[in-house]
Amino acid sequence: MRIEHFFDSSTSTFSYLVVDEGSGKAAIIDSVLDYDAKSGRTSTAGAERIVARVRELGARLELVLETHMHADHLSAAPWLRERLGGKLAIGERITVVQKVFGKLFNASPGFALDGSWFDRLLHDGDRLELGAIGIEAMHSPGHTPACMTYVLRCGAQTAAFVGDTLFMPDYGTARCDFPGGNALAYVSTVAEQRSANIHIHDGVSEDDFVAMRKQRDATLGMPVLILPSVQVNMRADELPAPESNGICYLKILLDAV
């Protein structure tokens, strides 16, 4: 199991490429579409690095996995599928998120709320195969109701891709005050997190964590790219349909509750 990461400096997020070296089958997890908020321009510079690497390795893209609907970056999943193929999958509770934000942004009547924008909706315990790599989908809500952790196993190798459920130990955990978020829903059994995570290390009770998380979340501003991100990512990462002049538009909320 080959795992490579790609860091996007503008959003401080990681994308991952996983390849089963025996079969050449590959998965991309949490891709990023470059977006300049000042100009409203998108670009694929970051995603192009991943495409180049897939082709350099002679791999075949089978899966494009999203750990959740991101609020800090746009996803490049459609662009990647167009060039490399593969099926796009996300947790089945994306429908809860779609309903919340579909209503908030007054999405058009044609906006489907049933998850059908995605190729596959994954339930807790669902299993996928990537050559010799087995993938288990583990529902890990808290940050959003649709968060999924992907646990990959190949022989003696095991890796878990947790999205924003946990950050690096020195940064702790993700906020839980987005629509559908719930600090009570977190779990973690990873030894490094238990020993070193500044928010949920051994000795921190559930009540302590929930109190800390709620107090901290109340002081945080909204992510810089949340408004464009959710409008794109709730559509399985497709841009809104062009209007009569051929231009795509994103909405900006004013005085929203």
Side-chain angles (χ1 to χ4, degrees):
M1 178 164 57
R2 173 189 288 269
I3 299 173
E4 299 185 5
H5 69 269
F6 299 79
F7 182 67
D8 180 68
S9 59
S10 64
T11 59
S12 294
T13 56
F14 285 96
S15 301
Y16 297 92
L17 171 64
V18 181
V19 180
D20 171 50
E21 294 187 307
S23 66
K25 294 181 178 180
I28 294 172
I29 303 172
D30 289 344
S31 63
V32 176
L33 179 69
D34 299 288
Y35 174 73
D36 178 43
K38 295 179 181 178
S39 66
R41 298 282 185 179
T42 62
S43 72
T44 57
E48 287 171 12
R49 288 192 297 147
I50 302 178
V51 169
R53 185 57 174 154
V54 170
R55 290 174 174 165
E56 181 182 12
L57 293 171
R60 302 186 305 280
L61 186 63
E62 297 283 321
L63 295 169
V64 182
L65 300 175
E66 299 285 2
T67 55
H68 64 295
M69 195 185 82
H70 308 280
D72 56 359
H73 69 269
L74 281 66
S75 171
W79 187 87
L80 290 167
R81 283 190 302 174
E82 182 179 335
R83 281 148 187 80
L84 298 174
K87 300 292 185 181
L88 174 59
I90 197 169
E92 53 92 15
R93 289 183 64 82
I94 187 63
T95 57
V96 176
V97 182
Q98 287 177 324
K99 289 173 184 175
V100 170
F101 285 106
K103 180 179 180 181
L104 181 63
F105 286 102
N106 196 30
S108 66
F111 174 64
L113 302 174
D114 59 0
S116 58
W117 293 84
F118 299 85
D119 297 317
R120 180 167 178 179
L121 302 183
L122 298 170
H123 297 74
D124 183 48
D126 278 355
R127 297 182 181 275
L128 304 168
E129 291 184 355
L130 190 70
I133 301 172
I135 303 174
E136 179 184 357
M138 181 186 299
H139 187 217
S140 50
H143 179 51
T144 82
C147 289
M148 300 295 287
T149 290
Y150 298 109
V151 182
L152 280 63
R153 297 182 176 89
C154 183
Q157 293 177 287
T158 301
F161 296 86
V162 299
D164 289 350
T165 298
L166 295 172
F167 293 142
M168 294 300 184
D170 63 345
Y171 206 74
T173 59
R175 63 193 300 168
C176 297
D177 61 336
F178 293 150
N182 181 2
L184 281 167
Y186 268 115
V187 294
S188 178
T189 58
V190 180
E192 183 181 8
Q193 296 286 353
R194 292 183 62 176
S195 65
N197 190 290
I198 62 173
H199 292 163
I200 56 169
H201 57 78
D202 282 344
V204 176
S205 70
E206 181 180 67
D207 288 343
D208 291 340
F209 169 74
V210 172
M212 177 283 300
R213 192 67 264 173
K214 289 182 177 180
Q215 182 179 20
R216 179 174 171 78
D217 290 347
T219 69
L220 299 176
M222 296 304 289
V224 173
L225 296 183
I226 186 172
L227 296 183
S229 295
V230 297
Q231 291 180 75
V232 171
N233 297 341
M234 72 182 184
R235 294 176 167 86
D237 318 315
E238 297 281 356
L239 297 179
E243 298 192 7
S244 58
N245 60 358
I247 298 175
C248 299
Y249 291 91
L250 295 170
K251 295 181 179 180
I252 301 296
L253 303 175
L254 295 177
D255 299 325
V257 176

